[in-house]
């Protein structure tokens, strides 16, 4: 060791203030001018026990957060308690994430760990609770850590760190919101590093290793099987640290928990097999209330009555808008399908060909498909007033009908627990899925992936299942814990919303394909039986037996492009 470098180290450890006493000083550079490296090198002195420890307080603050912390403390002092609750929570959450990321970087570079991704515990818990039967994640470490944090610290938050050192296992680490201490589990280390770097947590404020020589290892061991690492890269960071910095750590977008509008819907029936709400491409909502169909204009909030079936001693059991929003198909309890012109408020054609109630309707251009309690699906042409096809495949009532976005495949669900797929040329179903154990009413085709079909089962099933109709394969399924009444995909993002009945009466927004719960909305006191998506794809309307229609903002048109202001985000800084 050079005498100058050793002298600077001794002076820095003894507390002497000197320009050359910075731990970032390079040992091979001349005293003037001073150059700084990008890598943190601990003090190399065997006479001081603290040389083998990492300063957790400095890690909590971050490498460049001294001025930021002073500004935050002064602003918090001058701000009242009520007005600073939300801001303080957000700042604390951001600092906790930055601190955790900085700790993960230190572990990657100094201890040879392979932490390359961070998740919020809230979303991981949703994934655990909803995907136990499909993903088989290990959650024992999470429960143990959470219990210890609850007993020791009042204000403790839990964040999940995912590493690739042990294959598909997931390990969690608790972060104290009071002192910001990271107590890693041995699972963070790769199998080779676990033999040489065993952690000891005897002191809660210190993170140390039993072998001091491993701290001074300049470069962590590279994984030769890591395809993301280039041997020509000039970065001093390991591949895991590079992926960690590049991975988005921004919280998932926040979805309002309350509806932005609530409308009364008197006599809205509480029947699982009916479809009484639909939203047109012209931004007009059609609702079937007992024997009448009402139209609510979302642009002007005007309400008009389209038809009244009391004179015919009949009731409305289903409504559906045509693709262009010119006509409304109305299914009745007597098995009649009526076509109404919205512009003139007149009935143009009627198809009295079913022998029981019509609970499901689906348009394909100017042809209307109707599913009935008589177990049949009829195709009628509104231009010629003729029946073109009769599809027989269900053994009980047909309660769900949906066309694929390309209008080539028709999916039908029935009370016989079966999901059938039809094409336009064959009178027999081309695919039959029998995995559901309850009635299949919730059906939705993905607008983002061709052939991807989602379906939901009733009370005895409670599962959302995804099918690849191109290969007739069951992709995945998730237990929602309650009756699945409706499904709808977002038009702009790979997300979907589901409404539920017994026993939770909730609305859930999912992220596909991870099936993380982005939001869980409550407010209805009865089963959420009806669902429709606005033409812009941002809002939904739900209806229930509590005779209310609630409007929610759950989707977004595009992902946010706002860059994070974190000091750890090195890709938006000019260096």
């Amino acid at each position: 060791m050079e005498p100058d470098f050793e002298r600077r180290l001794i002076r820095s450890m003894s507390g002497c203030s000197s320009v050359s006493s910075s731990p970032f000083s390079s040992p091979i550079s001349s005293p003037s001018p001073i150059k700084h490296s990008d890598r943190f090198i601990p003090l190399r002195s065997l006479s001081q026990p603290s040389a083998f420890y990492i300063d957790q307080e400095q890690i909590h603050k971050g490498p460049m957060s001294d001025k930021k912390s002073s500004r935050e403390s002064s602003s918090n002092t001058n701000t009242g308690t009520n007005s600073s609750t939300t801001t303080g929570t957000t700042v604390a959450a951001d600092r906790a994430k930055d601190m955790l990321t900085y700790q993960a970087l230190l572990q990657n570079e100094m201890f040879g760990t392979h932490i390359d991704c961070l998740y919020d515990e809230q979303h991981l818990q949703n994934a655990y609770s909803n995907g136990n039967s499909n993903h088989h994640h290990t959650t024992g470490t999470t429960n143990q850590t959470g219990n210890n944090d609850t007993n020791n610290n009042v204000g403790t938050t839990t964040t999940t760190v995912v590493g690739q050192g042990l294959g598909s296992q997931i390990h969690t680490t608790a972060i104290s919101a009071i002192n910001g201490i990271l107590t890693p589990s041995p699972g963070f280390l790769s199998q080779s590093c676990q033999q040489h770097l065993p952690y000891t947590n005897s002191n809660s404020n210190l993170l140390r290793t039993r072998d001091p020589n491993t701290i001074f290892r300049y470069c962590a061991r590279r994984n030769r099987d890591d395809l993301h690492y280039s041997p020509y890269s000039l970065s001093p960071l390991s591949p895991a640290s590079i992926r960690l910095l590049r991975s988005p750590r921004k919280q998932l977008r926040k979805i309002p928990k309350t509806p932005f509008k609530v409308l009364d819907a008197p006599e809205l029936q509480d029947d699982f097999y009916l479809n009484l709400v639909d939203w047109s491409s012209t931004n007009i909502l059609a609702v079937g209330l007992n024997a009448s169909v009402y139209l609510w204009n979302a642009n002007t909030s005007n309400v008009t009555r389209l038809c009244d079936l009391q004179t015919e001693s009949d009731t409305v059991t289903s409504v559906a808008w045509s693709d262009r929003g010119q006509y409304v198909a109305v299914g009745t309890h007597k098995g009649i399908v009526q076509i109404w012109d919205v512009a003139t408020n007149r009935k143009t054609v009627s198809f009295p060909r079913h022998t029981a109630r019509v609970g499901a309707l689906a348009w394909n251009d100017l042809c209307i498909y109707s599913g009935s309690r008589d177990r049949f699906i009829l195709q009628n042409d509104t231009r010629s007033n003729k029946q073109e096809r009769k599809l027989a495949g269900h053994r009980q009532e047909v309660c769900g009908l949906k066309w694929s976005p390309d209008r080539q495949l028709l999916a039908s669900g029935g009370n016989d627990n079966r999901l059938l797929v039809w094409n336009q040329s064959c009178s027999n179903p081309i695919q039959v899925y029998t995995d559901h154990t309850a009635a299949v009413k919730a059906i939705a085709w993905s607008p983002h992936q061709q052939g991807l079909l989602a379906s939901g089962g009733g009370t005895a099933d409670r599962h959302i299942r995804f099918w690849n109709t191109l290969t007739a394969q069951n992709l995945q399924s998730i237990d929602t814990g309650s009756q699945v009444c409706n499904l709808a995909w977002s038009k702009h993002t790979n997300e979907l919303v589901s409404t539920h009945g017994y026993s939770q009466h909730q609305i859930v927004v999912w992220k596909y394909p991870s099936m993380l719960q982005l939001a869980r909305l409550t407010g209805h006191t009865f089963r959420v039986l009806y669902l429709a998506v606005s033409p812009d794809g941002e809002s939904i309307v739900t209806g229930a037996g509590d005779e209310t229609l609630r409007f929610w903002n759950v989707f977004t048109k595009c992902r946010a492009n706002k860059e994070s202001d974190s000091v750890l985000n090195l890709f938006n800084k000019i260096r």
Side-chain angles (χ1 to χ4, degrees), residues 10 13 23 41 45 47 169 202 206 210 310 330-331 466 513 521:
I10 295 176
M13 293 177 56
I41 301 178
S45 175
S47 61
Q169 295 183 1
S202 59
L206 299 176
R210 293 176 185 171
Q310 288 185 353
V330 179
F466 296 90
L521 311 177

Side-chain angles (χ1 to χ4, degrees), residues 129-140:
S129 60
N130 296 311
N132 291 332
S133 60
N134 305 312
H135 300 87
H136 303 285
H137 288 321
T138 303
T139 58

Side-chain angles (χ1 to χ4, degrees), residues 46-88:
L46 298 179
S47 61
Q48 295 291 338
S50 60
F52 305 114
Y53 304 139
I54 300 176
D55 189 358
Q56 293 295 322
E57 184 178 359
Q58 179 65 24
I59 293 178
H60 177 64
K61 292 181 180 179
M64 295 178 288
S65 62
D66 294 336
K67 296 182 180 179
K68 180 179 179 181
S69 301
S70 61
R71 290 196 302 267
E72 290 176 357
S73 59
S74 60
S75 61
N76 292 335
T77 305
N78 299 328
T79 307
T81 304
N82 297 332
S83 61
S84 64
T85 302
T86 305
T87 305

Side-chain angles (χ1 to χ4, degrees), residues 133-134 417 419 433-438 440 442-445 452-458 460-468 473-480 484 487 489 496 512 515:
S133 60
N134 305 312
N417 308 344
L419 176 66
Y433 301 107
T434 59
D435 292 11
H436 285 288
T437 58
V440 182
I443 302 173
W445 292 88
L452 178 59
L453 176 63
S455 60
D461 184 72
R462 305 184 307 272
H463 279 76
I464 298 177
R465 304 182 187 273
F466 296 90
W467 317 88
N468 185 349
Q473 292 179 343
N474 184 357
L475 299 179
Q476 62 173 319
S477 63
I478 182 170
D479 189 355
T480 63
V484 183
L487 287 173
W489 288 86
L496 73 158
Y512 184 83
M515 294 309 291

Side-chain angles (χ1 to χ4, degrees), residues 280-299:
S280 73
S281 59
T282 58
N283 208 14
I284 299 178
L285 188 69
V287 184
L289 301 177
N290 197 8
S292 302
V293 176
Y294 291 88
L295 303 180
W296 179 76
N297 193 321
N299 298 321

Side-chain angles (χ1 to χ4, degrees), residues 386-398:
K386 293 182 180 180
Q387 176 180 327
E388 296 187 353
R389 279 201 304 169
K390 184 177 183 179
L391 307 179
H394 287 282
R395 302 170 184 173
Q396 295 186 32
E397 180 176 5
V398 180

